[in-house]
Amino acid sequence: MSGNFFSSTLSKAIEWARAGSLWYVSVGSGCCGDEVMETVGCRYDLERFGCVPQVNPEQADLLIVSGITSYKAAPHLRALYDAMLSPKYVLAVGACASCGGAFSPESSYSVVAGVDKIIPVDVYVPGCPPRPEAIMNGLITLQEKIRGYQRTQTEA
Amino acid sequence: MDTNELKRKLEIKGAGSSLKQSLAIDVGSLAHTAQFLRDEPNWQMDDLENISAFEMKGDILLTYFLKSSSTGKTMVLRATVTPKTETSEVDAVSVSHLWAIAIPLEQEISELFGVRFQGGKTRPHQVLPEGWRGFPLRKSYVFPIEFASIKHQRHEHE
């Protein structure tokens, strides 16, 4: 078959399956890592949403970054992201992963001002640290983004 | 009033027996003094608890916390080194041949403060990433605009 090929129905089925089986690797370099572990644990049970922890980045779809990233760790985080197979997504958990938080850029020489300086981020979860409900909300937002849904915006 | 008399008076005033001996010495005699304190039978300072450093008014103050595991005595040595300029390195004497625990402590001070420990085993860039320039814990240190093509500021306009 030559030329471009596009099947919208099949794509929707693939996206549906992809959003429902987000296998992840987690990089916990700060206290937000504890909240991620709590989210994975029995009380909140992230596996309900099809999220299964992985140790091999080649088998993972999602990279959860929680905590600060230093300049020394930056190339290793980039290498981890590069080792993942496409399509791949990144969830930045907490203020430090999102923008450097309390440590950067004004107050620390060594902390990167957000992991989006190194790798593309799909969803940011604010908080210092965010509660497990917020992390789950970030994950559901990512799933909806993969499925192509648009959330209803609530008026403030 | 000599030091011992001052110590006795302070103990009476309520400082108790928690007072520790502290010596401010010249950095050139640091290695000899440290070796004497380690080998002297009455002191036997066989344990180096910590080395700390901080910058004050252009000087870098190195503080050595010693302890004897046999006698329980503790002592503090303090030596001052002065860099020629705000950004230049400065020399001090290593004590890693006396206490092996000094190797990582001197390594950290070497990278963060720019103190070269002569006779030590410090290597370039164990704490900081490769290619790092400057000594981050100096007062004169200016944060990098970017490092390894990563902008330090959050936004371009900052």
Side-chain angles (χ1 to χ4, degrees):
Chain A
M1 184 185 294
S2 62
N4 295 325
F5 177 76
F6 178 71
S7 172
S8 61
T9 308
L10 184 60
S11 295
K12 282 188 182 300
I14 291 171
E15 286 163 2
W16 173 82
R18 188 173 285 148
S21 61
L22 283 172
W23 294 7
Y24 67 91
V25 284
S26 178
V27 178
S29 54
C31 51
C32 290
D34 292 347
E35 298 296 324
V36 171
M37 285 189 276
E38 179 72 11
T39 314
V40 177
C42 57
R43 182 178 291 270
Y44 293 95
D45 194 11
L46 203 65
E47 287 192 30
R48 286 182 293 155
F49 303 99
C51 282
V52 182
Q54 292 293 313
V55 291
N56 187 357
E58 291 177 2
Q59 295 175 338
D61 314 295
L62 172 63
L63 176 61
I64 300 177
V65 185
S66 49
I68 59 167
T69 303
S70 65
Y71 283 112
K72 196 169 184 177
H76 304 290
L77 184 64
R78 178 74 209 188
L80 182 66
Y81 178 78
D82 289 342
M84 293 168 65
L85 301 178
S86 293
K88 48 193 173 182
Y89 310 96
V90 177
L91 187 70
V93 174
C96 294
S98 300
C99 64
F103 303 102
S104 180
E106 292 84 6
S107 54
S108 176
Y109 58 89
S110 60
V111 174
V112 176
V115 288
D116 56 0
K117 298 278 184 186
I118 311 161
I119 53 177
V121 175
D122 293 282
V123 174
Y124 300 85
V125 179
C128 185
R131 284 192 56 81
E133 290 91 338
I135 298 171
M136 287 164 62
N137 185 53
L139 182 82
I140 293 166
T141 306
L142 177 64
Q143 287 180 325
E144 290 174 349
K145 189 177 176 183
I146 294 168
R147 290 179 185 133
Y149 292 171
Q150 186 70 40
R151 272 192 158 185
T152 306
Q153 297 295 315
T154 309
E155 292 293 330
Chain B
M1 188 188 298
D2 67 356
T3 311
N4 288 330
E5 189 180 351
L6 175 65
K7 188 182 176 187
R8 277 195 300 275
K9 285 198 172 186
L10 287 172
E11 284 177 356
I12 294 167
K13 289 273 185 189
S17 58
S18 63
L19 283 172
K20 306 298 179 194
Q21 298 282 350
S22 177
L23 292 177
I25 57 173
D26 184 68
V27 71
S29 63
L30 176 65
H32 299 296
T33 310
Q35 183 148 21
F36 174 79
L37 289 171
R38 192 193 65 162
D39 299 337
E40 165 66 34
N42 291 329
W43 289 97
Q44 296 180 38
M45 294 293 174
D46 55 352
D47 191 12
L48 175 66
E49 289 184 322
N50 189 25
I51 307 174
S52 74
F54 70 97
E55 185 182 343
M56 190 169 70
K57 296 179 180 175
D59 296 333
I60 295 172
L61 277 69
L62 303 169
T63 311
Y64 296 74
F65 298 88
L66 310 180
K67 187 175 183 180
S68 170
S69 60
S70 55
T71 65
K73 290 178 180 175
T74 57
M75 177 172 275
V76 175
L77 295 181
R78 175 165 285 184
T80 305
V81 289
T82 308
K84 285 181 180 172
T85 65
E86 287 184 336
T87 55
S88 64
E89 287 187 283
V90 63
D91 289 330
V93 183
S94 173
V95 292
S96 60
H97 61 290
L98 301 173
W99 300 285
I101 189 62
I103 295 171
L105 302 171
E106 289 177 351
Q107 178 73 46
E108 197 173 0
I109 293 170
S110 169
E111 291 189 46
L112 300 179
F113 283 94
V115 178
R116 283 185 302 228
F117 288 93
Q118 300 296 332
K121 295 177 180 175
T122 54
R123 293 178 291 172
H125 289 142
Q126 298 293 305
V127 180
L128 297 168
E130 286 291 332
W132 192 274
R133 300 180 73 179
F135 311 112
L137 294 192
R138 289 268 184 98
K139 303 280 187 195
S140 60
Y141 183 74
V142 180
F143 286 4
I145 298 170
E146 69 170 44
F147 178 75
S149 303
I150 303 169
K151 296 278 186 189
H152 190 65
Q153 296 297 330
R154 179 70 192 147
H155 302 293
E156 294 298 326
H157 63 272
E158 288 178 350

